[in-house]
């Protein structure tokens, strides 16, 4: 593993720990999916997503829309490493009056682009943003061009609104629209393959999408897919990332507590996992689970400098 990839794996593990810690402290929430999606978020935010770190309302920034709002711990953790949330904010997840509600609400100053609603709505909002971007670029010039990223889940793919999004985006050839499908085969109360067995890749290909499949925990594969998606000029891109629910979670006897339905919608300890063992397994300190790793500080500091140069 390269030194860069090793560093980013540490960043992803930091996001996993922070996400699990937020839910554990709140005594409610959804840790499993957030832990699974951390690798994609790490690569996107440290290498691809373009924005002005000193002006989060910069109009020509890339947009990131989170569809599964219950995965807010993942988004808040990532944005905290980028400098937009404090440790105290993370520790206030799901508390009355906090800036970290259980489902995100639009907060451009902190990098949150959309208020979450029913599954499927988030990437429909992203579609609208992508259409608006192409309209503006066609009218005023490609100097306004930017990308719209959406993060979707198994549940969003199951919603009927996603069918309309897929058809319209493919028909319009929205090459500025990049969607990441976090496919972990887990939903709130059952495995996905118990209720849905359709070939998602073939469906999107039929709608005219560029479809890529990756190991959602492999930094190289995620990076290569994002490079390909950003290079696409004719079609929207769907990146299907195969991930593991509760990545890194450990049980009371040190056994793996990954890929379990139980970690989807409750704290790890309520699901029967061992929180301290999980934090330790992911390279953190159980006595200070909200700590930020040196690798996270370095990676996001480097990204801020690169973004400032881009926005200048």
């Amino acid at each position: 593993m390269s030194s860069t990839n090793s560093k980013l794996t540490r960043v992803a593990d930091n996001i996993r720990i922070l996400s699990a810690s937020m839910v554990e402290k709140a005594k409610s929430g959804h840790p499993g999916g957030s832990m699974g999606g951390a690798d994609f978020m790490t690569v996107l935010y440290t290498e691809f997503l373009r924005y002005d770190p000193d002006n989060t309302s910069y109009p020509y920034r890339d947009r990131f829309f989170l569809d599964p709002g219950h995965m807010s711990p993942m988004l808040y953790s990532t944005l905290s490493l980028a400098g937009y949330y404090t440790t105290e904010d993370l520790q206030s997840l799901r508390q009355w009056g906090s800036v970290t509600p259980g489902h995100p609400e639009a907060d451009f100053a902190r990098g949150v682009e959309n208020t979450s609603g029913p599954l499927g709505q988030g990437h429909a909002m992203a579609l609208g943003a992508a259409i608006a971007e192409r309209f503006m670029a066609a009218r005023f010039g490609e100097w306004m061009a930017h990308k719209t990223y959406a993060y979707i889940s198994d549940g969003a793919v199951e919603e009927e609104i996603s069918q309309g999004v897929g058809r319209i985006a493919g028909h319009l050839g929205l090459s500025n629209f990049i969607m990441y499908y976090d496919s972990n085969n887990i939903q709130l109360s059952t495995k996905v393959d118990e209720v849905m067995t359709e070939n998602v890749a073939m469906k999107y290909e039929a709608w005219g999408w560029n479809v890529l499949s990756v190991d959602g925990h492999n930094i190289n594969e995620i990076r290569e897919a994002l490079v390909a998606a950003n290079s696409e000029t004719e079609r929207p891109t769907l990146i299907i990332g195969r991930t593991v629910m509760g990545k890194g979670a450990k049980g009371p006897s040190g056994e793996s507590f990954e890929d379990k339905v139980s970690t989807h919608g409750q704290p790890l300890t309520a699901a029967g996992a061992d929180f301290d063992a999980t934090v330790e397994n992911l390279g953190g300190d159980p006595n200070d689970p909200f700590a930020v790793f040196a690798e996270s500080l370095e990676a996001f500091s480097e990204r801020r400098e690169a973004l400032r140069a881009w926005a200048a």
Side-chain angles (χ1 to χ4, degrees):
M1 182 184 294
S2 70
S3 59
T4 297
N5 288 3
S6 178
K7 180 197 299 182
L8 295 187
T9 296
R10 282 283 287 167
V11 175
D13 284 343
N14 202 172
I15 292 172
R16 288 186 243 278
I17 293 171
L18 291 173
S19 297
S21 300
M22 293 169 70
V23 175
E24 200 68 31
K25 189 173 191 306
K27 295 182 174 58
S28 68
H30 301 72
S34 295
M35 296 170 74
D39 303 276
F40 176 78
M41 295 294 284
T42 296
V43 178
L44 179 67
Y45 272 83
T46 62
E47 296 187 0
F48 289 90
L49 193 76
R50 298 184 306 173
Y51 58 95
D52 184 344
D54 302 311
N55 176 20
T56 52
S57 294
Y58 179 64
Y60 313 121
R61 69 191 182 276
D62 291 341
R63 268 68 170 179
F64 174 77
F65 288 78
L66 179 67
D67 189 307
H70 60 271
M71 290 174 67
S72 62
M74 177 184 73
L75 178 61
Y76 297 143
S77 297
T78 305
L79 291 174
S80 74
L81 298 180
Y84 299 112
Y85 287 95
T86 66
T87 298
E88 290 72 25
D89 292 333
L90 300 188
Q91 293 173 335
S92 299
L93 176 74
R94 300 174 72 92
Q95 304 308 299
W96 183 258
S98 78
V99 296
T100 48
H103 287 64
E105 298 172 5
D107 188 345
F108 301 145
R110 292 185 172 87
V112 179
E113 294 286 353
N114 65 298
T115 296
S116 297
L119 290 176
Q121 178 178 295
H123 70 285
M125 296 166 75
L127 169 67
I131 292 172
E133 186 273 346
R134 284 294 82 198
F135 174 83
M136 298 292 283
R139 188 177 182 91
F140 300 109
E142 287 295 326
W143 59 273
M144 304 183 72
H146 55 271
K147 300 294 185 182
T148 298
Y149 295 90
Y151 188 110
I152 69 172
S153 63
D154 291 300
V157 168
E158 293 174 5
E159 295 289 346
E160 289 307 308
I161 191 173
S162 71
Q163 319 304 308
V165 171
R167 294 187 190 103
I168 294 171
H171 172 70
L172 295 177
L174 295 176
S175 59
N176 61 323
F177 189 28
I178 300 169
M179 197 154 66
Y180 180 73
Y181 168 27
D182 178 16
S183 178
N184 59 32
N185 196 39
I186 300 283
Q187 54 189 36
L188 185 60
S189 59
T190 187
K191 292 288 186 80
V192 173
D193 57 19
E194 295 176 33
V195 298
M196 185 185 81
T197 53
E198 67 183 13
N199 190 318
V200 174
M202 288 181 66
K203 179 171 70 174
Y204 277 85
E205 287 170 353
W207 290 332
W209 286 61
N210 173 34
V211 179
L212 307 170
S213 294
V214 302
D215 175 348
H217 301 302
N218 185 300
I219 299 297
N220 278 336
E221 291 188 20
I222 294 169
R223 181 185 294 119
E224 290 168 3
L226 284 169
V227 168
N230 275 273
S231 299
E232 174 63 44
T233 60
E234 302 293 333
R235 301 167 293 174
T237 295
L238 177 71
I239 302 172
I240 302 176
R242 304 294 179 184
T243 63
V244 177
M245 173 71 69
K247 177 68 173 175
K250 288 289 185 180
S253 302
E255 73 278 18
S256 171
F257 220 80
E258 298 177 336
D259 192 33
K260 291 185 179 294
V261 173
S262 60
T263 64
H264 178 283
Q266 59 185 334
L268 292 181
T269 52
D274 187 310
F275 176 74
D276 288 353
T278 297
V279 172
E280 190 170 359
N281 180 51
L282 291 168
D285 180 358
N287 295 314
D288 188 14
F290 285 94
V292 175
F293 294 173
E295 292 87 347
S296 300
L297 293 173
E298 182 180 348
F300 277 89
S301 175
E302 291 172 352
R303 185 58 178 167
R304 275 192 294 274
E305 292 309 307
L307 287 169
R308 286 184 177 119
W310 166 77

